[in-house]
Amino acid sequence: MQPPRPPSRQQRAVAEATAREHTALLEAIHRLEAALTSPVPRREAAWRDRVRQELAQVLAKLEEHCAAAERPGGLVAELEAAQGRLPELRLAAEEHRTLPEAVQGLLACLQQPDARPPGHGELRRELASLMNRLRAHQAREADLIFDAFWLDIGAGD
């Protein structure tokens, strides 16, 4: 199979911006993981506050990425122009709505002063699941970018 023509300037710019967004989100996820794995006994309120702050940062980075990806000329539009509306692209675009909603739901749970939030074990499990979904989303987008533009935006390169 022969590679397609080189990516356009716009495609390269969108891919590079997406890579920066992915890196910023991954850094926020790492800080959240550090908060989640810190000890809880005798400091539950401080632990929850730190988790809430880091989760808010994850949400901010995720919302920035989703807004950029969905804008005209953004990632979704460029991928669609290059390859059409593939099922994986439809899924990635849908995740731009559902992932922030999931983060907002967990954040709201942590911010309700009167409600009894989930215990730290349950919260760790829920957030681990969410972080796995975020990483899967980033991998899906990296695959779509590579398939469409032959550019590798994977983390750690």
Side-chain angles (χ1 to χ4, degrees), residues 13-25 138 145 152-154:
V14 165
E16 289 170 356
T18 301
R20 286 189 301 274
E21 294 158 12
H22 282 192
T23 297
L25 180 55
Q138 288 185 323
I145 289 168
D152 181 358
I153 66 160

Side-chain angles (χ1 to χ4, degrees), residues 3 17 23 26 37-38 48 51 53 58-59 61-63 72 74 88-90 110 120 129 131 136 143 146 157:
T23 297
L26 191 57
T37 59
S38 65
R48 283 186 186 282
V51 169
Q53 290 170 357
V58 167
L59 178 60
K61 297 303 178 189
L62 178 61
E63 288 177 334
E88 285 294 303
L89 179 55
R90 280 194 293 274
L110 285 169
H120 64 274
S129 175
M131 289 182 288
D143 289 348
F146 188 80
D157 290 351

Side-chain angles (χ1 to χ4, degrees), residues 63-75:
E63 288 177 334
E64 287 173 18
H65 163 67
C66 294
E70 292 293 332
R71 71 173 168 70
L75 178 63

Side-chain angles (χ1 to χ4, degrees), residues 9-150:
R9 191 174 311 180
Q10 173 65 16
Q11 290 170 336
R12 186 172 293 281
V14 165
E16 289 170 356
T18 301
R20 286 189 301 274
E21 294 158 12
H22 282 192
T23 297
L25 180 55
L26 191 57
E27 289 169 355
I29 289 170
H30 288 164
R31 289 189 303 274
L32 176 58
E33 287 173 330
L36 286 170
T37 59
S38 65
V40 178
R42 294 179 299 283
R43 53 186 300 270
E44 187 162 321
W47 182 86
R48 283 186 186 282
D49 286 344
R50 182 175 173 207
V51 169
R52 182 175 40 249
Q53 290 170 357
E54 298 303 345
L55 185 57
Q57 289 302 307
V58 167
L59 178 60
K61 297 303 178 189
L62 178 61
E63 288 177 334
E64 287 173 18
H65 163 67
C66 294
E70 292 293 332
R71 71 173 168 70
L75 178 63
V76 172
E78 287 298 319
L79 289 170
E80 192 172 84
Q83 292 193 306
R85 194 76 167 164
L86 301 172
E88 285 294 303
L89 179 55
R90 280 194 293 274
L91 179 56
E94 175 66 14
E95 288 170 337
H96 290 151
R97 183 184 61 77
T98 60
L99 286 171
E101 288 174 356
V103 177
Q104 289 165 351
L106 287 169
L107 194 55
C109 182
L110 285 169
Q111 290 174 329
Q112 295 177 356
D114 297 336
R116 175 152 165 62
H120 64 274
E122 181 183 345
L123 187 57
R124 283 173 170 156
R125 285 187 296 278
E126 287 183 35
L127 287 170
S129 175
L130 175 68
M131 289 182 288
N132 285 335
R133 289 177 58 200
L134 291 169
R135 285 187 177 101
H137 174 76
Q138 288 185 323
R140 180 175 296 105
E141 286 184 341
D143 289 348
L144 286 164
I145 289 168
F146 188 80
D147 282 346
F149 312 148
W150 282 67

